[in-house]
Amino acid sequence: MTAPVLEIHLSDADAAEALHHDVRVGLSADPKWLPPKWFYDARGSELFEQITTLPEYYPTRTERELLRRSAGEIAGQAHASTLVELGSGSSEKTRLLLDALTVTGSLQRFVPLDVSESALRAAMTTVAQEYPQLAVHGVVGDFTRHLELLPFDQTGRRLVVFLGGTIGNLLPSERARFLTALRAVLEPGELLLLGVGLVTDPAVVVPAYDDTAGVTAEFNRNVLHVLNRELGADFDVAAFDHVARWDAEREWIEMRLRASRAMTVWLPAVDMTVQFAAGEEIRTEVSGKFRREALKIELAGCGFADHAWWADPDDRFALVLTAAA
Ligand code: SAH
Ligand code: AVI
């Protein structure tokens, strides 16, 4: 086994600068918002892993089943020597692909990329132990900023995977920029495997984002703990209620944090005072759900063609395999 390599494209100083920028913009906007990537400090990453085991949270187990069914076929088509995983988290489901690509004999390198250094380090350690023949090359980075820094493969093809439905956490304009940037760093014929949540009954989606055990609420509030720690802010975290709401027009579920009373919050690191009226909300995440035809058109518009599609029998989640045109 060769020791895993960790490349850091998002230093603490870069991350602090990005957080300061996002907080200045998002908390001075009306309505207020914050980008979801700030959920994922070590605690946030742990809470996300807990979410994936909740009975209400169907995406992870549904995607795992789809991967079980399709990994052999994907590996056969991909002939990839490098598997790149964006927003890799624990890389737990990814092992199904690592296994299948190992069977085809093509895979040499695994490149997980995540903003969460703690999640990335833990995943890299486990993968390096379980797959001693693989070179594991982790990247701490932001997939909306650092795609052009991904290691190239001189000798073979790359398969890029973006699982969990995380692409739905980008707003449509961010998504178009992301897909265009990703296409630009791929060679024609290199593949992208996307896991996407599908538009489904709100009676199923809403509980997935508002579980009875309150884990998602804690995950949502975690962003305020991050701001308190990183910016010296004085959010009274318990005074914000978790809200999950289906937006039928945009076909996304939103998470919000609602101030239970009027508050003034001081954020010294950005020299900002933020006023909240009672009932005022911060949008902390959108989680877009997709339709097959519209996604195909969107991918084609960003330079991806030849789609293969696997969905569960209830049409709640899909895997899409598409090639850089
Ligand atoms: N792919 C895993 C984890 C999904 S959770 C799964 O399917 O279970 C979303 C992951 O994306 C987290 O690990 C989070 O740290 C990471 N993430 C969120 N925004 C990111 C960004 N802008 N750049 C890189 N990683 C990001
Ligand atoms: C990572 N991402 C795809 C999750 C989702 O379902 O949008 C994050 C999450 N938010 C609340 N629960 C899980």
Side-chain angles (χ1 to χ4, degrees):
M1 179 180 116
T2 37
V5 174
L6 184 68
E7 227 178 286
I8 300 196
H9 290 318
L10 192 65
S11 67
D12 289 349
D14 294 338
E17 196 181 315
L19 177 63
H20 291 191
H21 171 267
D22 288 350
V23 165
R24 281 199 189 97
V25 172
L27 292 189
S28 59
D30 185 16
K32 296 177 173 57
W33 61 280
L34 289 167
K37 69 178 164 215
W38 303 114
F39 287 134
Y40 298 95
D41 64 350
R43 176 76 184 134
S45 294
E46 274 169 32
L47 286 166
F48 176 75
E49 288 308 312
Q50 283 182 37
I51 288 174
T52 65
T53 66
L54 295 169
E56 295 97 330
Y57 194 75
Y58 60 89
T60 305
R61 62 173 180 272
T62 311
E63 187 178 48
R64 190 181 298 115
E65 269 320 298
L66 291 173
L67 283 166
R68 250 191 253 291
R69 242 172 65 198
S70 61
E73 210 177 320
I74 292 166
Q77 287 189 35
H79 281 297
S81 51
T82 297
L83 178 66
V84 176
E85 179 170 25
L86 304 177
S88 45
S90 68
S91 293
E92 184 264 326
K93 287 166 274 143
T94 317
R95 312 231 177 124
L96 293 161
L97 288 166
L98 292 172
D99 290 340
L101 286 161
T102 303
V103 169
T104 68
S106 60
L107 191 66
Q108 291 169 16
R109 187 156 61 152
F110 177 49
V111 181
L113 176 145
D114 207 287
V115 280
S116 174
E117 185 171 337
S118 61
L120 185 66
R121 279 187 187 276
M124 285 171 65
T125 304
T126 316
V127 170
Q129 275 162 3
E130 288 177 13
Y131 301 85
Q133 77 288 1
L134 275 189
V136 178
H137 184 146
V139 180
V140 179
D142 182 333
F143 52 60
T144 63
R145 292 173 52 202
H146 298 124
L147 291 179
E148 73 285 358
L149 299 173
L150 282 174
F152 260 93
D153 197 328
Q154 323 294 17
T155 53
R157 299 194 331 149
R158 288 169 299 177
L159 166 65
V160 177
V161 301
F162 195 18
L163 300 177
T166 306
I167 192 162
N169 298 138
L170 298 174
L171 293 166
S173 58
E174 295 171 330
R175 201 160 73 217
R177 266 199 303 279
F178 163 80
L179 287 168
T180 305
L182 179 60
R183 170 62 194 87
V185 300
L186 295 179
E187 297 294 319
E190 287 187 316
L191 296 179
L192 166 65
L193 179 72
L194 271 181
V196 288
L198 300 179
V199 175
T200 190
D201 185 351
V204 173
V205 182
V206 175
Y209 292 80
D210 196 6
D211 61 281
T212 51
V215 182
T216 309
E218 207 181 328
F219 173 72
N220 194 6
R221 287 192 198 98
N222 189 55
V223 73
L224 301 184
H225 288 299
V226 170
L227 268 45
N228 281 351
R229 186 184 63 236
E230 299 299 326
L231 307 177
D234 60 0
F235 280 98
D236 176 0
V237 177
F240 284 82
D241 296 323
H242 169 66
V243 178
R245 191 177 297 138
W246 174 248
D247 183 328
E249 194 187 321
R250 297 187 175 94
E251 297 189 320
W252 69 40
I253 182 133
E254 287 189 4
M255 295 207 306
R256 292 170 172 255
L257 288 168
R258 184 193 293 144
S260 58
R261 55 177 171 79
M263 274 177 268
T264 302
V265 179
W266 167 228
L267 299 96
V270 284
D271 194 17
M272 239 177 125
T273 300
V274 182
Q275 309 282 351
F276 287 89
E280 190 175 351
E281 294 176 347
I282 313 173
R283 189 183 72 199
T284 50
E285 183 185 73
V286 304
S287 190
K289 306 303 169 198
F290 295 82
R291 293 179 187 270
R292 183 174 182 170
E293 268 316 297
L295 181 58
K296 194 172 158 180
I297 292 167
E298 189 173 338
L299 285 167
C302 298
F304 290 93
D306 296 335
H307 306 79
W309 178 272
W310 296 265
D312 64 297
D314 297 321
D315 259 338
R316 292 179 181 166
F317 205 92
L319 288 173
V320 190
L321 184 65
T322 181

